[in-house]
């Protein structure tokens, strides 16, 4: 009886030890995520100067880390970041006051431009929700034979009518302003999307949660 009890105790201890090692290994792997090497830097003061359009911002103005993202609505890597990475970064850093995100337009094609214009025409509190939907449903409109019809269906969910939809997409001033934001981004060296400037350090490509966390943590 004693030997059976000891055997059970030993097996239980071994199981606990294995579990502890697994947790430790996972934590160690996360802790050892290297900070990605930046592609250069820009003058943060100039980067944050007012542009043709008012910046759309997630987070608090006094956050110690500022992330400026240039994106294209038809960019699959941008959609990957928006769907797979941003929600975790928002929970971990943006909602806790450690970071803020400034989202800027860098359309590569007319469909991306139209999507940005529609997001800008939506009420202020619906801008990011609409961007989120457009990214999540990217293939339904970006690759559609009739992109206008597909965008209209999505826009109706945000309260657009046929009339307000048409008025938005024929707003020449808004079109000029979106293009101006893109041109200004190019002046900072943006030539691919997504491109991030994190406290002035440039990073190209859809950073993973671990990679962006490592960058942000290094600046806190």
């Amino acid at each position: 009886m004693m030997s059976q009890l000891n055997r059970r105790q030993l097996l239980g201890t071994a199981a606990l030890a294995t579990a502890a090692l697994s947790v430790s290994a996972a934590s160690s792997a996360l802790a050892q995520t290297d900070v990605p090497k930046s592609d250069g830097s820009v003058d943060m003061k100039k980067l944050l100067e007012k542009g043709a359009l008012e910046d759309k911002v997630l987070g608090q103005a006094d956050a110690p880390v500022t992330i400026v993202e240039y994106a294209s609505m038809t960019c699959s890597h941008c959609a990957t970041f928006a769907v797979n990475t941003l929600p975790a970064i928002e929970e971990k850093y943006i909602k806790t006051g450690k970071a803020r995100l400034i989202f800027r337009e860098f359309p590569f094609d007319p469909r991306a431009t139209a999507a940005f214009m529609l997001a800008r025409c939506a009420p202020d509190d619906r801008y990011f929700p609409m961007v989120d939907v457009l990214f999540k449903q990217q293939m339904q409109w970006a690759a559609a034979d009739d992109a206008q019809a597909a965008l209209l269906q999505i826009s109706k969910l945000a309260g657009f009518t046929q009339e307000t939809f048409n008025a938005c997409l024929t707003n020449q001033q808004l079109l000029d302003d979106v293009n101006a934001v893109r041109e200004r981004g190019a002046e900072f060296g943006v030539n691919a999307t997504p491109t991030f400037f994190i406290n002035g350090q440039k990073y190209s490509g859809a950073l993973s949660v671990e990679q962006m966390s490592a960058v942000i943590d290094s600046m806190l």
Side-chain angles (χ1 to χ4, degrees), residues 61-88:
D62 60 351
V65 176
T66 295
I67 306 163
V68 178
E69 176 189 1
Y70 281 92
S72 178
M73 291 305 305
T74 51
C75 161
S76 60
H77 296 296
C78 299
T80 295
F81 175 80
V83 175
N84 298 330
T85 301
L86 182 56

Side-chain angles (χ1 to χ4, degrees), residues 48-220:
L48 296 181
E49 287 177 357
K50 185 177 180 180
L53 289 171
E54 179 183 358
D55 278 331
K56 293 297 184 179
V57 186
L58 289 175
Q60 303 172 13
D62 60 351
V65 176
T66 295
I67 306 163
V68 178
E69 176 189 1
Y70 281 92
S72 178
M73 291 305 305
T74 51
C75 161
S76 60
H77 296 296
C78 299
T80 295
F81 175 80
V83 175
N84 298 330
T85 301
L86 182 56
I89 296 300
E90 189 171 2
E91 287 296 323
K92 187 176 180 181
Y93 298 103
I94 296 176
K95 290 184 178 179
T96 57
K98 296 177 181 178
R100 64 171 173 156
L101 176 90
I102 297 173
F103 185 76
R104 290 180 179 170
E105 296 88 348
F106 200 88
F108 274 122
D109 53 72
R111 293 188 179 197
T113 301
F116 276 130
M117 291 175 70
L118 290 167
R120 284 284 182 175
C121 288
D124 286 344
D125 61 345
R126 295 184 187 176
Y127 177 83
F128 279 111
M130 187 162 185
V131 167
D132 184 55
V133 170
L134 286 166
F135 272 136
K136 287 180 178 176
Q137 299 185 19
Q138 188 181 75
M139 292 307 297
Q140 296 179 28
W141 61 270
D145 290 335
D146 188 345
Q148 185 168 327
L151 283 170
L152 176 59
Q153 291 304 113
I154 295 173
S155 298
K156 284 182 176 179
L157 298 176
F160 283 80
T161 62
Q162 180 72 65
E163 291 72 24
T164 57
F165 177 84
N166 292 339
C168 179
L169 294 184
T170 54
N171 185 331
Q172 186 62 47
Q173 184 60 58
L174 178 57
L175 173 60
D176 292 343
D177 288 344
V178 168
N179 286 332
V181 173
R182 183 187 187 282
E183 290 166 5
R184 185 160 174 260
E187 293 175 4
F188 289 107
V190 179
N191 56 17
T193 55
T195 291
F196 303 94
F197 293 98
I198 306 179
N199 278 4
Q201 296 298 311
K202 180 184 177 184
Y203 298 90
S204 301
L207 298 177
S208 66
V209 174
E210 292 77 17
Q211 289 173 321
M212 183 162 279
S213 294
V215 175
I216 295 173
D217 286 341
S218 73
M219 297 177 176
L220 292 175

